Amino acid sequence: MGKRFSRAVPVAQTLMGSLLAGASFSAVAQSEPLSADALDWEPWGKEEAATQLCRGRYVMPGYRLAEQDSPETLAAEATEADYDIDGRTILRGDVVLRRANEEVEADQVTMPADRERVNAEGNIALRDGTALVRGDSAEIMLNEDRTQLDNSRFVLYDQHLRGQAGQLEQLEKDQYRLQDARFTTCDPGKNTWQLVSSDIHLDQAEGFGTARHARLEIKDVPVMYVPWVRFPIDDRRHTGLLTPAISLSGDGVDYTQPFYWNIAPNRDATITPRWMSDHGLLLNGEFRYLLEESGGTVEAGFLNSDNGGSGGAEGRLEGEDRWYFEAQHVGRVNPRSGYRLRYGAASDGRYFDDFGGEFGSSDRASMERLAQVDYRGERWQLDARAQGFQRLDYPLNERDKPFYRLPSLTANARWQLGNGLYSQWRSNATYFWRDVNEQRVIEREAATGSRLHLTPAFGWRFDRPWGYIEPRTEFWYTGYQLDYGDRATENSESPSRSIAVSSVDSGLIFERELALGGREYRQTLEPRLNYAYVPRTDQSELPDFDSSERPFSWNQLWSAQRFSGADRVGDLNRLSLGVESRLLEDETGRDRLSVGIGQSVYFDERRIDIEGDADTLPPRSDGERYYQATRDRSPLVTRVDWQINNRWSTGYEWLYDDNLDRTESSTVDVRYRHPRGHVVNLGYRWEIQDFDPGVEPSDDSFRNYNREEWDLSFAWKASPQIDLIGRYLHDQTNDRALEQLAGVQWSDCCYGLQLVWREWVDDSDTARIGDDFNDRGLFLRFVFRGLGGVGQSTDGFFEQAIPGYRPAPL
C-alpha cells in the first residue's frame, strides 16, 4: 500500500496551466502507438452514436487524489519513497502528484531538497481537467516557469484535438516551443489530415503561434507547403489572412480572399479583394468599432469599369464603375432613450443582385438612410427620425421612387382608466419629399409636403374566461400642406380629413373535455362577432404618400382598416362572423388542431379606393374592381393549422367566393420534422388574377394572370455525418422552374465537405418575364476542422431556402 505525503511548495505556473492552453489552435495526428484509451478516449454508446458527428469524445478520468484545502499544497502518493543524505526525495511505482486541479502520474519522480524542480520519468501523464499530456521524461522548474517534455503527446478535451511533438519546451512564462510536431482533429486511429511542422512557437500572452516549414498532409501525402505561417491559439482576434472562398458558376470563376486587421481591442477591419472573371476586381472593406455606449460599422465596395458580366445581364452595365457604401451607428442616451444613424447608397439597382448574397441570390430591396432618436417611458413612447430609402430596382421608374421622411415625429401613449375603460393617443407629423419629375407620375403621387396625423382613441374591454366584448372608437384627423411643383392641379394645397372609425369586437369561449385515441384533450369553440363602421369621406384631393389597399385575409375579417398607412381610410359598414375551434393537449397545453371559418357581410358599397373618390364606383367595364367594390359579402375564409403528430404538420388557408362559386386564393403547406433532423416541406400557392387590389396594371409588380406555384424542399440526414438537401420551386403559370437546388454535406470531427448545384431565374426587375434569364452554378466548400477551409459560407441561405433545416456548421 502506497504512502501519502503532503507539503506546501511555492506556487508557480506549471506545464498544464500554460502549455495546453496555448495549444488550442489545432491538433495532432500521426500513426501513434498509444491506444485510444491512453488518450482518455471514450466511444459513444449505441444510442448516442446515432446522433453524433464523432465516434466518441475525450473525457478526463476522475482525480486519483483528493483535493487539498490549500491550492498551494502538493499531495503525493507512491508505492515507494526514498530520501538520500542530500535531502533528495525519490518516489517510485505508480507515482501520483496533485496540486489544485493539476495531477501528474509517472513511474518515478525525483525532487531535490530545495523543491525548485521536479524530474519525472516513465509513462508520464499530466492532466488539469481541460487537457492531457503524455511523455517519456519531463523536467519542471517550479520557480522559473521552465519545462521540457520529450516525446510528448497531448489531447485537448473540449476542442477534440490531439497532437504530438518530439520535444515540448517551456522557454519562459507564456512562451513555448514544439519541435517535430503534428496536429489533427480526427478521431484516434484516423489521420485523414494532419498539419506537420519542424518548429512551432506559441505565445500565450499575445494569443498566437507561428510555425516554420509547415505542411498539410492528407492521408500522409503532403499537399501544401508553407515556409512560415501565423495562427491564433485562443479566441482573441489577430491580423492575418482569413479563409478564402472560391466558386464556379455560369458567370465564371469567383475568388475571394479576406484579410483581417485587428486594429485595437474595440476596432477592427476586414479588407476583401474579390476577383470575378466576368466582372473584374471588386474591393470590399468593413470597419467595426465599439465605444462605451455606442458602436457601429462602415462598409464599402468598389469595382472600376465593370467588364459587363455574363448570362442574360451581359453588357448591361459594361464600362461603368460599380460601388456601394453603408455606415451604421447605434447608441444610448440614457436607459430609456437610444439613437440610430444609418446611411446606405449603391451605384445602381443591380449591385447586390450581381455581387451580393449567397449562391448568386439577393433579397435586398433597398438601402436605408436614417437618423433616429427614441424614448420609451412607462406611458409615453416618442420617436423622431429622418428616413429615406434607395430602392434597388433596375431600371427604376419615377413612381417607384420612395418618399423621404424629413423629418417624422411620433408620440404615442395609453391610459388605463379603470373598470376596463382605456384611452389611447397616437400622433405623427411628417414631411414627405422625393426627387421626381412631377409630370411623369400620377397626380396623387406628384405632391410633396407635410402631414399631421392625430388618432386619439377611447374604448372599453370587458374580459372574462368565457368571453369578451370591446367597443372602440378612433378619431382620425389628417391635415396636409402640399407642393405640386410644376404639376398643374386643381387640388387644394392644404386639404384635411376628419373621420371616426368605430368597431365592436366580441367573442365567446366554450370548452369541453375530450378523449381521442387514448389521449385527453380540451376542445374549444370560439364564435366571434365584429362590427365596423367607417363613414364615406371624399379623399380624392389627398396625396398618396404611404398607403396601399390590404389584400383580404383571416386577419382582415376583424380589422376596420382597409388600407395601410394614413392617407386613405376605406369606407366600411360590415359585420364579420366567424368561429374557431382548437384542440389542446391537456398534458402540454399545445395546440394540436385549430380550425376557423369566417365571412364578412357588407351593408354598403365600398367606394373609396386608392384614388379616394367617394362619389363614384369603378366603371362596370372594369369588371373585377367593380365587383370587389359592390359585392355584398366577402370571400369565405377557411383556415386550418393541424399538428398531426410530433413529426407531421400542415396548414391551409382558402378564400372562396360563394357568390361566383370560385376560389380567390388558396395556400397549402405540409411539413415533416424528424428528431434526427430530417426536414421535408411541400407548399402550393394559387391566387386569382389581380387578386391584390393594391397592384395596378401600370405598376411593375403587376402580373396579368393567375399566380400558381409549387415549392418542394427537403434536407435528409442520411447519417449523422451526411446531409442531402434539395429544393424545386415551380412557376405553374408560366411552366418554368424558378429555382432548382441539390447538394450534399459531409461533416465529422475531422473535416467537412459541401457540394451544391443551383440553377435559378434572374428577374430583371420588370413585369415582363421575357427578359428574365437562367443562371446556374456549382459551389464547393471544404473545411479542415481546426484549420479552416475554402469556400462560401452557406448556412443562412439553406435555412431560408429549406424552412426548418439547421445545417451542422462547417
Side-chain angles (χ1 to χ4, degrees):
M1 181 176 179
K3 301 179 181 179
R4 190 172 186 82
F5 306 91
S6 297
R7 64 180 66 192
V9 297
V11 175
Q13 188 174 22
T14 61
L15 181 67
M16 295 301 296
S18 53
L19 165 68
L20 295 177
S24 62
F25 60 94
S26 283
V28 170
Q30 179 175 305
S31 298
E32 303 180 15
L34 290 180
S35 66
D37 291 340
L39 296 174
D40 294 346
W41 176 257
E42 181 180 284
W44 294 113
K46 185 176 181 180
E47 293 185 1
E48 294 173 311
T51 61
Q52 300 293 330
L53 293 176
C54 311
R55 293 187 295 112
R57 58 179 177 170
Y58 298 106
V59 180
M60 177 180 168
Y63 288 102
R64 294 179 59 181
L65 299 183
E67 184 177 6
Q68 303 300 299
D69 294 335
S70 171
E72 299 181 0
T73 301
L74 176 66
E77 182 179 282
T79 303
E80 300 178 10
D82 293 330
Y83 305 90
D84 59 20
I85 58 176
D86 297 328
R88 186 176 64 167
T89 302
I90 302 174
L91 305 177
R92 299 187 183 89
D94 193 20
V95 182
V96 183
L97 306 177
R98 181 177 179 183
R99 181 172 61 183
N101 65 334
E102 301 172 355
E103 191 170 76
V104 180
E105 299 177 1
D107 291 339
Q108 178 174 303
V109 171
T110 303
M111 290 183 290
D114 58 14
R115 301 296 189 260
E116 292 183 353
R117 71 177 185 272
V118 172
N119 292 310
E121 297 179 0
N123 297 317
I124 299 171
L126 301 91
R127 298 181 176 91
D128 71 344
T130 62
L132 159 71
V133 173
R134 288 190 177 275
D136 296 334
S137 63
E139 182 179 17
I140 305 172
M141 306 300 294
L142 297 177
N143 61 345
E144 296 182 12
D145 292 325
R146 291 179 59 85
T147 300
Q148 181 171 314
L149 191 69
D150 296 329
N151 195 19
S152 65
R153 292 166 175 81
F154 55 88
V155 169
L156 305 180
Y157 298 127
D158 293 340
Q159 290 84 356
H160 200 89
L161 309 176
R162 58 187 172 91
Q164 176 175 312
Q167 185 180 81
L168 187 153
E169 183 179 5
Q170 181 181 8
L171 304 175
E172 56 183 279
K173 181 177 176 59
D174 298 328
Q175 303 291 323
Y176 306 94
R177 184 181 184 186
L178 287 75
Q179 298 183 25
D180 298 326
R182 299 169 177 266
F183 307 90
T184 192
T185 54
C186 299
D187 293 340
K190 293 181 61 178
N191 295 329
T192 303
W193 71 267
Q194 53 189 339
L195 185 68
V196 183
S197 175
S198 61
D199 188 5
I200 295 177
H201 183 270
L202 306 177
D203 187 339
Q204 187 182 1
E206 297 295 329
F208 68 88
T210 57
R212 299 179 183 276
H213 304 293
R215 67 182 185 272
L216 176 66
E217 294 184 357
I218 298 179
K219 293 292 185 180
D220 298 325
V221 177
V223 297
M224 184 176 66
Y225 169 79
V226 181
W228 182 89
V229 63
R230 187 182 190 209
F231 49 84
I233 59 176
D234 56 25
D235 293 334
R236 284 177 285 182
R237 304 187 300 269
H238 299 278
T239 298
L241 296 175
L242 301 179
T243 301
I246 304 175
S247 64
L248 302 173
S249 70
D251 294 333
V253 180
D254 187 340
Y255 177 81
T256 303
Q257 177 57 73
F259 175 80
Y260 179 79
W261 181 15
N262 185 33
I263 303 171
N266 64 334
R267 300 189 303 276
D268 64 12
T270 304
I271 303 169
T272 311
R274 179 182 175 188
W275 183 76
M276 295 159 286
S277 60
D278 62 333
H279 287 284
L281 179 63
L282 172 67
L283 184 62
N284 289 313
E286 179 188 37
F287 171 69
R288 302 186 301 179
Y289 60 93
L290 183 64
L291 306 177
E292 185 174 351
E293 293 289 339
S294 62
T297 61
V298 179
E299 302 176 27
F302 179 77
L303 185 150
N304 182 42
S305 186
D306 194 333
N307 291 342
S310 60
E314 184 174 358
R316 178 158 43 189
L317 294 166
E318 184 174 2
E320 296 190 19
D321 294 342
R322 313 284 301 277
W323 56 267
Y324 91 100
F325 174 84
E326 187 166 33
Q328 300 183 63
H329 182 84
V330 296
R332 300 212 62 80
V333 180
N334 55 52
R336 290 187 179 272
S337 181
Y339 65 91
R340 294 177 59 209
L341 302 172
R342 184 167 185 170
Y343 180 83
S347 58
D348 55 83
R350 289 287 306 180
Y351 184 91
F352 292 98
D353 290 317
D354 291 341
F355 308 129
E358 297 160 323
F359 294 150
S361 69
S362 176
D363 57 359
R364 194 163 189 170
S366 63
M367 299 197 74
E368 185 180 20
R369 295 90 184 261
L370 173 70
Q372 176 193 11
V373 60
D374 59 41
Y375 171 80
R376 296 291 180 267
E378 293 181 1
R379 176 164 296 158
W380 284 94
Q381 291 81 46
L382 309 178
D383 185 286
R385 67 178 62 190
Q387 185 179 28
F389 297 90
Q390 178 188 359
R391 184 166 174 176
L392 297 176
D393 282 352
Y394 184 87
L396 180 62
N397 294 329
E398 289 285 287
R399 67 168 305 187
D400 291 330
K401 293 181 179 179
F403 282 95
Y404 280 69
R405 301 165 185 261
L406 302 172
S408 179
L409 308 176
T410 301
N412 298 330
R414 182 182 176 96
W415 295 267
Q416 295 292 341
L417 306 178
N419 297 319
L421 294 171
Y422 66 87
S423 63
Q424 288 180 319
W425 172 266
R426 292 187 299 166
S427 59
N428 176 264
T430 300
Y431 182 84
F432 292 92
W433 173 87
R434 67 174 175 173
D435 183 17
V436 298
N437 184 339
E438 297 90 351
Q439 307 295 335
R440 301 180 63 182
V441 296
I442 57 179
E443 187 176 44
R444 68 173 185 273
E445 296 180 4
T448 61
S450 61
R451 182 184 73 191
L452 176 65
H453 184 60
L454 307 176
T455 54
F458 183 79
W460 174 67
R461 185 174 178 91
F462 177 79
D463 207 341
R464 293 292 185 269
W466 46 264
Y468 67 92
I469 185 171
E470 181 179 8
R472 174 188 173 92
T473 297
E474 291 183 7
F475 178 75
W476 284 38
Y477 170 80
T478 311
Y480 298 85
Q481 290 294 327
L482 304 177
D483 181 3
Y484 282 89
D486 296 332
R487 180 68 175 260
T489 179
E490 297 181 358
N491 290 344
S492 169
E493 293 183 354
S494 55
S496 64
R497 176 195 61 205
S498 298
I499 193 171
V501 178
S502 302
S503 65
V504 180
D505 193 22
S506 61
L508 297 173
I509 303 174
F510 302 95
E511 291 186 359
R512 67 168 181 169
E513 302 296 327
L514 187 65
L516 292 173
R519 293 176 178 265
E520 298 295 327
Y521 297 94
R522 279 185 301 121
Q523 184 186 16
T524 69
L525 185 65
E526 304 173 35
R528 185 175 181 180
L529 192 66
N530 182 287
Y531 175 75
Y533 178 74
V534 182
R536 185 175 300 150
T537 302
D538 185 72
Q539 301 163 61
S540 58
E541 292 192 355
L542 304 187
D544 179 12
F545 292 139
D546 61 1
S547 285
S548 61
E549 191 168 357
R550 294 172 173 172
F552 202 77
S553 66
W554 174 265
N555 291 332
Q556 279 299 107
L557 284 171
W558 324 112
S559 173
Q561 299 175 20
R562 292 172 42 220
F563 292 86
S564 62
D567 297 313
R568 295 292 181 269
V569 181
D571 55 324
L572 193 63
N573 185 9
R574 68 108 176 96
L575 179 68
S576 292
L577 306 94
V579 62
E580 187 173 17
S581 180
R582 294 183 296 152
L583 201 61
L584 291 83
E585 201 167 36
D586 263 356
E587 294 180 358
T588 62
R590 181 181 183 182
D591 275 15
R592 281 292 182 181
L593 177 65
S594 176
V595 179
I597 186 171
Q599 191 173 37
S600 294
V601 177
Y602 300 114
F603 304 115
D604 205 348
E605 301 165 341
R606 280 117 4 248
R607 293 178 178 259
I608 300 295
D609 56 14
I610 197 65
E611 295 179 359
D613 188 354
D615 298 327
T616 60
L617 287 168
R620 289 181 178 271
S621 58
D622 190 346
E624 187 64 31
R625 289 182 60 206
Y626 180 82
Y627 174 68
Q628 294 293 342
T630 58
R631 64 192 301 177
D632 58 3
R633 58 185 182 272
S634 74
L636 194 66
V637 185
T638 304
R639 61 186 295 267
V640 178
D641 191 359
W642 183 16
Q643 186 69 40
I644 302 171
N645 53 40
N646 292 334
R647 299 183 181 182
W648 287 94
S649 62
T650 184
Y652 177 64
E653 185 173 78
W654 181 35
L655 271 66
Y656 176 72
D657 186 344
D658 58 339
N659 184 42
L660 296 182
D661 191 21
R662 69 178 186 181
T663 295
E664 292 195 353
S665 75
S666 62
T667 302
V668 183
D669 292 293
V670 179
R671 304 170 291 270
Y672 175 77
R673 304 288 185 268
H674 192 280
R676 292 186 179 179
H678 307 320
V679 171
V680 179
N681 303 288
L682 177 62
Y684 172 79
R685 291 174 289 277
W686 187 90
E687 290 180 352
I688 200 171
Q689 174 182 334
D690 301 337
F691 175 71
D692 183 350
V695 179
E696 299 181 3
S698 59
D699 195 317
D700 273 344
S701 300
F702 178 77
R703 296 292 191 272
N704 191 25
Y705 47 71
N706 302 336
R707 177 191 177 196
E708 187 174 14
E709 290 180 357
W710 292 90
D711 192 352
L712 171 65
S713 63
F714 72 91
W716 199 263
K717 290 191 174 293
S719 71
Q721 293 78 26
I722 301 176
D723 290 1
L724 303 176
I725 59 175
R727 186 189 187 195
Y728 182 80
L729 177 59
H730 186 75
D731 177 1
Q732 185 76 16
T733 302
N734 299 290
D735 192 22
R736 61 176 181 169
L738 296 177
E739 180 173 21
Q740 302 173 76
L741 181 147
V744 59
Q745 175 171 306
W746 166 276
S747 182
D748 66 5
C749 292
C750 188
Y751 68 95
L753 174 67
Q754 195 175 72
L755 182 64
V756 179
W757 170 82
R758 179 173 182 252
E759 181 174 338
W760 66 98
V761 171
D762 193 325
D763 190 351
S764 296
D765 294 330
T766 69
R768 300 183 303 273
I769 65 172
D771 60 355
D772 296 348
F773 62 93
N774 285 357
D775 205 347
R776 61 186 60 84
L778 184 66
F779 304 87
L780 174 67
R781 189 178 182 212
F782 196 91
V783 172
F784 295 107
R785 299 291 187 185
L787 285 183
V790 176
Q792 190 178 52
S793 178
T794 59
D795 294 348
F797 177 83
F798 288 153
E799 291 182 8
Q800 181 180 4
I802 309 173
Y805 176 46
R806 298 295 178 265
L810 289 183

